Amino acid sequence: MKMRCSRWIKNIALTWLLCNGLVEAGSQEDQGSTEKTEVRKRDLGLGVFPRGDCLFRHSTSVLGLFARLLCSDEGKGDCEEVLKSPVETYKPNGVYDLRPDSNAALFALCDMDEGGWTIIQQRVNGKTDFSSDWEDYKLGFGEMNENEDFWLGNENIWRLTNAVTTREPYTLRIELTSVGKEKRFAEYSYFRIENEANKYRLNISNYSGNAGDAMHTYNGMDFSTNYDHGLFDSCSASYRSGGWWFNQYCHANLNGVYKPGTGYNGIVWDTWPEAMDTISEVRMMIRRKD
């Protein structure tokens, strides 16, 4: 019985090493014992196993199934974790299921080309009405793909930025494009929001970029919409445009009406004055601080 358990433990350990690219099947870890390594591969149901790749999705052996649990891309905490996981070498941009906590999976659009950013908001064509109420902003709305508009949902953003597994604070990156196709960006190396009981209050700081720090007055602001929880002296009440962490200054609102020429009713980032009234594309995305 002890020998059988010992072999299982060794195989499980080998699986973990292989899946994390720390050893190659038939490498120096088994000097002079390639045959033993092949037996282990067969027991695991792995077949060909190049460094860093887990090619056993169709394995039916018990240890092969266990290996899939150890190495699966599914259920990672965010897009960066999916990108860095060793299952398959190529991970395209697209929608992945994430599990930042023990609750149900959430689906998010991942930008893998730029290093595993989780996209929380996108405006590209104006097809989706962002003049929504508290519940819509809580749960998210729109069509989640690279060519459509959407809001991931405050509850999902809260889960991502407050997950107990989060090792580092999240960075928020905002990318802006004008109708003339000029691009600017703003990054905040500390970003998180609080829970619904605290009205998804914004915590944001440490700006860098070339779009200007339009969020410099928004740290500590509650989320509000033009229907719920709005302050009478806020931009939400004055301009009745979308949901945001509004205050009385109106320096930024990336969820405004998608229509150039609408002033502060539209998409606003007033520290880029040359593009005021002409912002045609927006992306907000998060990734753990490097």
Side-chain angles (χ1 to χ4, degrees), residues 51-63:
R51 184 180 180 88
D53 290 327
C54 292
L55 306 179
F56 47 77
R57 290 182 178 271
H58 302 292
S59 168
T60 56
S61 75
V62 173
L63 282 176

Side-chain angles (χ1 to χ4, degrees), residues 247-260:
N247 59 23
Q248 66 268 34
Y249 298 109
C250 309
H251 294 306
N253 176 14
L254 300 181
N255 290 337
V257 175
Y258 186 92
K259 185 178 181 182

Side-chain angles (χ1 to χ4, degrees), residues 70-234:
L70 279 179
C71 307
S72 174
D73 263 344
E74 298 176 1
K76 299 298 183 182
D78 58 24
C79 295
E80 185 183 27
E81 282 192 9
V82 174
L83 181 66
K84 290 182 176 180
S85 69
V87 183
E88 301 176 354
T89 54
Y90 174 67
K91 299 181 179 71
N93 296 340
V95 176
Y96 291 79
D97 73 323
L98 308 177
R99 292 182 183 270
D101 50 35
S102 60
N103 296 318
L106 65 89
F107 295 92
L109 181 63
C110 298
D111 184 340
M112 299 306 194
D113 292 342
E114 299 299 324
W117 291 89
T118 304
I119 302 174
I120 63 173
Q121 184 256 36
Q122 184 168 271
R123 311 289 301 277
V124 293
N125 57 30
K127 292 180 181 179
T128 298
D129 184 4
F130 272 61
S131 296
S132 295
D133 62 16
W134 182 266
E135 195 69 11
D136 284 342
Y137 272 100
K138 172 184 175 178
L139 300 176
F141 55 85
E143 187 173 344
M144 196 179 295
N145 68 56
E146 291 182 276
N147 302 309
E148 299 295 341
D149 300 348
F150 68 88
W151 178 258
L152 182 61
N154 288 334
E155 195 68 13
N156 291 330
I157 299 169
W158 169 72
R159 287 177 61 192
L160 286 164
T161 60
N162 290 272
V164 294
T165 56
T166 298
R167 297 185 297 275
E168 298 291 343
Y170 271 86
T171 292
L172 170 68
R173 180 178 175 90
I174 296 169
E175 297 182 342
L176 307 170
T177 304
S178 70
V179 292
K181 299 303 179 185
E182 185 178 355
K183 297 180 183 294
R184 297 286 179 93
F185 77 96
E187 280 194 9
Y188 296 87
S189 64
Y190 184 85
F191 171 79
R192 63 180 288 268
I193 66 173
E194 298 178 26
N195 61 17
E196 185 178 20
N198 290 312
K199 300 181 180 178
Y200 300 116
R201 186 171 298 129
L202 178 65
N203 294 266
I204 189 169
S205 60
N206 302 332
Y207 162 81
S208 63
N210 60 10
D213 183 9
M215 297 295 290
H216 68 282
T217 64
Y218 290 85
N219 185 48
M221 295 306 302
D222 296 343
F223 194 87
S224 59
T225 76
N226 48 351
Y227 298 104
D228 305 280
H229 300 280
L231 303 174
F232 288 110
D233 61 347
S234 75

Side-chain angles (χ1 to χ4, degrees), residues 6 8 10 22 27 36 57 64 100 120 124 137 158 202 269:
S6 175
W8 270 68
K10 287 180 180 179
L22 301 177
S27 70
K36 288 184 179 179
R57 290 182 178 271
I120 63 173
V124 293
Y137 272 100
W158 169 72
L202 178 65
W269 193 267

Side-chain angles (χ1 to χ4, degrees), residues 17 35 101 252:
L17 290 169
E35 184 179 348
D101 50 35

